[in-house]
Amino acid sequence: MSSLQAVHNIPEICAQLGITDVVLSPGSRCAPLTIAFARHPDIKVRTVPDERAAAFIGLGLAQAQRRAVALVCTSGTAGLNYAPAVAEAYFQQIPLVLFTADRPPEWIDQLDGQTIRQADLYGAHAKGTFTFPADTAHADAQWHATRIVSEAIGLAEQFPAGPVQVNIPLREPFYPKAGEELQFERVKVTREVPARPQLPAAVLTELREAIQSTSRVLVVGGQHAANTELLLALRQFAAAYQVPVVGDVIANLHLPAAPDFDQRLRPLGHQDVFMAVPEPGLKEALKPELLITFGQSLISKALKLYLRNAKPAQHWHIQSAGAVADTFQSLTKVVRMEPADFFAALTYVSGSTTDSIGVSEALDSSSIPSATAASLGSDKTLSASSHATAQDATRVASRPAPTGPVRLTWPSSGSHLNEAEATAKAAYLKPWLAAENWAGSFLEEFMQQPNQPFNEFTAIYRALQLLPDRTALHLANSMAVRYANILGLPKGRMVEVFANRGTSGIDGCTSTAIGSALAMPDRPVVLLTGDVAFFYDRNAFWHNYPTPNLRVILLNNHAGGIFRMIDGPRQQPELEEFFETRQMLQAENTARDFNLRYFAVSSFAELESALPVFFAPESGASLLEITTDSPTNAEFFEQYRAQVRTSFSS
C-alpha cells in the first residue's frame, strides 16, 4: 500500500459525504491532494491560481449549491490568502472544507521554505481545525485520518454551517511513480444526520397565545437563502395573525411563494425609503410591542437604528442552533426552531376560505397619523378627505379604530381572531402597508422623472427592471447592495439575491459570483458591482472555465463614491485623495483579457440600447461598464434623500 494511501482516500471520503466540487490552487506540497482529487471519478476539480479568488469562488459554489465545497492549497502563505473568504463563510454560515498542505511538524520554525504556523490558521473565524496525522503507516493512524476528514465535513455542514480547516503535513515523495495508478479504497465514513428541533406543545401554545393577544407584532427577516417552505409558512402566518413582515432584498422574501401567489401580499421591502421619513407620528405608528426576527444581517441601517430606538417589550429570535446576536439590544427569547417550522407550527389553518383582500385594497387612513395619511395622497386607495384634514407633521395624532375589517388573507386559511384582536391588529398593520405603498409609488415617480443627469442610481433602477427571470443576482458591497435594497426588484420576477454580507467586504464579490455561475450554468447570474470592488478582484476571471451565463454590471465612477454620500468623509478636504480611492481605470482591457463581451455606456440612451443585448442569452459572458461622474451621483442621491425627507411634510 502506498505511504500516501490515507491522503489518497480523502477524495473518496468527500465523495461519499456529498462533496462534489473542489477548487484548488497549484503548488508542490499539495501535489498528493491535487492528484488524488483530479483522478477521482466523482469529483469535479477546478484550478484557480490566486488563492484569495479561489476561496471566494468556492464560497460562491457552496452558496449556490447549499452544500460543502472543498478547497486545496499548498503550504505557507497560500492558506493565509483564504482568510477573507473564510471569515465571510463563517459569518454567512456557508460550509467550506479547507485542506491546507503543510510541512511535517518537525520542520516548523526551522527556516524551511514556504513554512509558517498553519495549525489553527483561521482562529476564531473557523468552526474548527483538524491536524491530519503526518505518518499513517499504522492501522490506528489510518482510522484516525479517515475519522478526521469525516468529522471535518460533518462539522462544516452542521448548523450553523461554516468553514473547517484540515491541515495536512506531507513528506516527500509527493508524486506517484510513472504509470502508478491511485487506489481509492471504499473507506468507512461517519455521516451526520441533520435534526430539526421541535418545541413541546405547551410551549407552542404559549407562544401562539402571546402572538394572538399582542396587537403590535412585527416580523423582520435578515439575510436568508431563498426557501419556498419558509415563504409559504411566513405568508400563512402573516395572514393568520395580520402581521406585517419586513425584509431586506437579501432576505429573499420578495420571491413568489407559489405559482398563484398574489404579489400584493408579498412582505414589505421599501423600509429603507419610509424609515428615512423624519415624522414622529409615522415612527410611533410603526413601533412594535413584539418583534420576531430570523435570518442574519440587515442592510437597512435606518430600520436597524429604528428598532434599536423603538425597544420593543419582547424580541424573539428564531434560530435552530448556534450563537444569537442581540442586534437590536432588545432580545428576550431565543426559539430553537427552523424559521419555516416555527411559522408553520404557530399558524392556525382552517378549512374555510376567506375573501382575499390585497395590500392596496386593505389601506385607508383611519389608523395612521393624519399628517401621514395626507402625505400618502399618491395612493389611490387612501381617502380623498385626508388631504383636507392634514395636520402638522410633528404632531402624533391618536389612532381611531378602523371602520371595518381589514385582513391579509391566504387561500384556504381562515381568521381565528376575535373582533377586538382583529381591530387592534388591523390598526397596527395599516400604517406599515400605507408606508410601503407610498414608498413604492414615490420611487417609481422619482426614478422616472425627466431631464435627469446621467447617474448610477437611475441606471441601476433601469437595469433591475430588465433582469431575466430566474436570475441569481449578486450584489457587491458598498453602494451596489444599498442601491438594490432601496429600489427593490420587479414584482413577480423570480430573482434570487446573494451578497457577501457576513463581513460586508469588497474583496471577493466578483469571485463569489463566478462560483455561482459555475454552480448554476442553466441560470443567468448577474453581478452588480462598483469599480473599487471590481478592480480589486480582477483575478476572479483568472481561470479556464467558461461562464456564458455570467453578466457583470460595473458602476465605474472612478472613485469610491460611497464616501461622497456619508456625512463625515464628504465634508473633509482629504475626500478625493484619501477616501474616494480615485482611479482612472476602465474595464475594457479586463474584458478583452478574459474574453468577456464588452459594453460601455455613459448616457441613458446608450444604456437603453445596450441592456436588451447585454441580457440576451446569446451574448455570452458579458461586462457592461456604466461610467458616471462621482459628484453628479452624490448630488442626485442627495436630491432623492431630500425628497424622501420632505414628502411627508406638506
Side-chain angles (χ1 to χ4, degrees):
M1 183 179 71
S2 168
S3 61
L4 291 171
Q5 187 60 52
V7 175
H8 295 163
N9 286 342
I10 291 174
E12 176 63 22
I13 300 168
C14 289
Q16 287 191 43
L17 293 178
I19 292 181
T20 61
D21 290 84
V22 175
V23 182
L24 62 84
S25 298
S28 180
R29 184 66 51 171
C30 61
L33 283 163
T34 298
I35 293 169
F37 274 114
R39 294 186 186 182
H40 195 282
D42 298 326
I43 301 287
K44 186 173 184 59
V45 180
R46 297 178 177 90
T47 301
V48 179
D50 183 324
E51 286 88 1
R52 189 183 72 186
F56 276 108
I57 287 174
L59 184 146
L61 285 161
Q63 192 183 61
Q65 296 175 344
R66 304 189 191 182
R67 63 174 182 266
V69 166
L71 298 168
V72 175
C73 71
T74 194
S75 63
T77 57
L80 285 174
N81 287 305
Y82 282 171
V86 169
E88 179 63 32
Y90 181 82
F91 287 108
Q92 205 182 139
Q93 300 176 0
I94 294 176
L96 296 176
V97 183
L98 316 154
F99 294 105
T100 53
D102 197 3
R103 288 290 194 277
E106 64 269 20
W107 285 105
I108 306 302
D109 291 329
Q110 300 306 306
L111 304 181
D112 209 26
Q114 289 185 268
T115 305
I116 64 172
R117 299 170 185 176
Q118 289 186 206
D120 197 21
L121 189 60
Y122 309 107
H125 292 119
K127 285 187 69 180
T129 185
F130 297 82
T131 299
F132 203 80
D135 298 291
T136 56
H138 195 280
D140 287 355
Q142 295 168 25
W143 161 75
H144 183 208
T146 301
R147 196 188 78 223
I148 279 174
V149 179
S150 290
E151 290 178 2
I153 296 171
L155 180 60
E157 294 191 325
Q158 183 186 101
F159 188 90
V164 174
Q165 180 195 11
V166 182
N167 197 51
I168 304 179
L170 292 164
R171 290 193 175 94
E172 297 189 62
F174 302 141
Y175 302 93
K177 296 177 182 177
E180 180 183 350
E181 292 187 6
L182 268 60
Q183 301 296 319
F184 297 108
E185 299 177 340
R186 186 68 179 177
V187 293
K188 184 178 181 180
V189 300
T190 304
R191 300 181 185 275
E192 290 272 345
V193 178
R196 296 182 70 155
Q198 298 293 328
L199 299 181
V203 176
L204 287 173
T205 298
E206 178 186 339
L207 297 176
R208 189 181 290 122
E209 290 175 350
I211 293 170
Q212 184 168 340
S213 62
T214 303
S215 59
R216 300 164 74 90
V217 180
L218 174 67
V219 176
V220 174
Q223 181 169 22
H224 201 285
N227 184 315
T228 300
E229 186 180 3
L230 172 61
L231 292 173
L232 285 165
L234 193 55
R235 261 56 159 206
Q236 292 172 330
F237 174 89
Y241 293 101
Q242 301 301 287
V243 169
V245 178
V246 180
D248 283 336
V249 70
I250 58 173
N252 281 301
L253 302 183
H254 56 273
L255 290 163
D260 58 348
F261 171 58
D262 187 338
Q263 280 297 318
R264 294 172 302 178
L265 307 183
R266 73 177 186 172
L268 315 183
H270 286 313
Q271 61 276 5
D272 253 345
V273 182
F274 61 77
M275 280 295 171
V277 173
E279 184 187 333
L282 177 64
K283 298 294 175 61
E284 183 64 25
L286 302 181
K287 186 176 179 180
E289 297 170 358
L290 167 58
L291 172 65
I292 301 175
T293 60
F294 65 93
Q296 297 164 295
S297 64
L298 293 180
I299 301 170
S300 177
K301 185 176 181 180
L303 178 60
K304 198 183 304 183
L305 294 178
Y306 172 73
L307 291 175
R308 286 175 186 169
N309 291 327
K311 290 290 187 290
Q314 297 185 73
H315 172 195
W316 305 351
H317 186 76
I318 318 303
Q319 183 175 306
S320 63
V324 173
D326 188 9
T327 304
F328 309 116
Q329 301 176 314
S330 59
L331 190 65
T332 58
K333 195 187 300 288
V334 177
V335 182
R336 293 300 186 183
M337 291 182 75
E338 290 286 339
D341 294 340
F342 170 83
F343 292 114
L346 268 69
T347 301
Y348 288 105
V349 179
S350 70
S352 62
T353 301
T354 56
D355 293 333
S356 178
I357 302 178
V359 167
S360 61
E361 297 169 312
L363 301 179
D364 64 36
S365 61
S366 59
S367 67
I368 54 179
S370 57
T372 303
S375 300
L376 299 179
S378 60
D379 189 329
K380 295 182 175 62
T381 64
L382 295 176
S383 61
S385 62
S386 64
H387 294 280
T389 59
Q391 300 176 27
D392 178 65
T394 61
R395 180 179 181 274
V396 181
S398 60
R399 296 186 292 108
T403 56
V406 176
R407 294 191 179 99
L408 294 175
T409 62
W410 185 268
S412 300
S413 70
S415 173
H416 60 283
L417 302 173
N418 62 40
E419 185 175 353
E421 291 168 342
T423 298
K425 288 182 178 295
Y428 181 60
L429 178 65
K430 286 180 180 179
W432 281 99
L433 301 181
E436 174 75 6
N437 271 19
W438 169 81
S441 298
F442 167 82
L443 277 174
E444 185 175 359
E445 183 176 346
F446 181 85
M447 301 311 297
Q448 295 182 9
Q449 60 183 301
N451 303 319
Q452 298 180 36
F454 187 61
N455 69 91
E456 60 188 19
F457 193 25
T458 304
I460 288 311
Y461 172 78
R462 298 187 184 186
L464 292 176
Q465 301 304 306
L466 295 180
L467 285 175
D469 205 34
R470 299 180 64 248
T471 288
L473 176 63
H474 280 253
L475 300 171
N477 286 310
S478 199
M479 283 308 297
V481 70
R482 289 172 171 83
Y483 283 144
N485 198 54
I486 292 169
L487 296 169
L489 297 170
K491 291 183 179 181
R493 203 77 54 82
M494 291 292 294
V495 175
E496 186 177 2
V497 178
F498 300 85
N500 285 349
R501 298 300 292 179
T503 60
S504 303
I506 63 167
D507 46 352
C509 295
T510 305
S511 297
T512 305
I514 286 175
S516 181
L518 292 169
M520 301 185 288
D522 61 333
R523 290 179 59 184
V525 174
V526 177
L527 169 66
L528 175 58
T529 185
D531 49 0
V532 178
F534 176 82
F535 291 117
Y536 191 81
D537 194 24
R538 270 187 293 189
N539 275 359
F541 299 103
W542 186 19
H543 60 81
N544 299 316
Y545 308 101
T547 54
N549 56 328
L550 178 68
R551 303 292 185 275
V552 178
I553 301 176
L554 168 60
L555 306 175
N556 191 353
N557 53 45
H558 297 293
I562 189 173
F563 291 103
R564 283 189 181 270
M565 302 177 186
I566 301 174
D567 284 334
R570 66 175 177 169
Q571 284 91 12
Q572 307 308 314
E574 295 86 358
L575 171 66
E576 290 193 7
E577 183 174 358
F578 296 106
F579 289 95
E580 275 204 315
T581 319
R582 298 290 297 174
Q583 49 78 24
M584 298 309 296
L585 298 172
Q586 291 183 315
E588 185 174 8
N589 288 337
T590 301
R592 181 170 55 250
D593 287 344
F594 297 109
N595 199 29
L596 304 173
R597 185 171 182 181
Y598 178 68
F599 299 81
V601 302
S602 56
S603 70
F604 287 126
E606 291 175 346
L607 179 68
E608 296 299 315
S609 177
L611 281 172
V613 183
F614 171 74
F615 283 129
E618 58 271 17
S619 290
S622 301
L623 169 63
L624 171 64
E625 184 169 24
I626 301 174
T627 301
T628 58
D629 174 64
S630 186
T632 300
N633 292 331
E635 182 180 349
F636 185 80
F637 195 68
E638 185 54 41
Q639 290 176 17
Y640 154 77
R641 293 198 292 197
Q643 289 197 32
V644 169
R645 288 192 296 265
T646 60
S647 59
F648 278 70
S649 60
S650 58

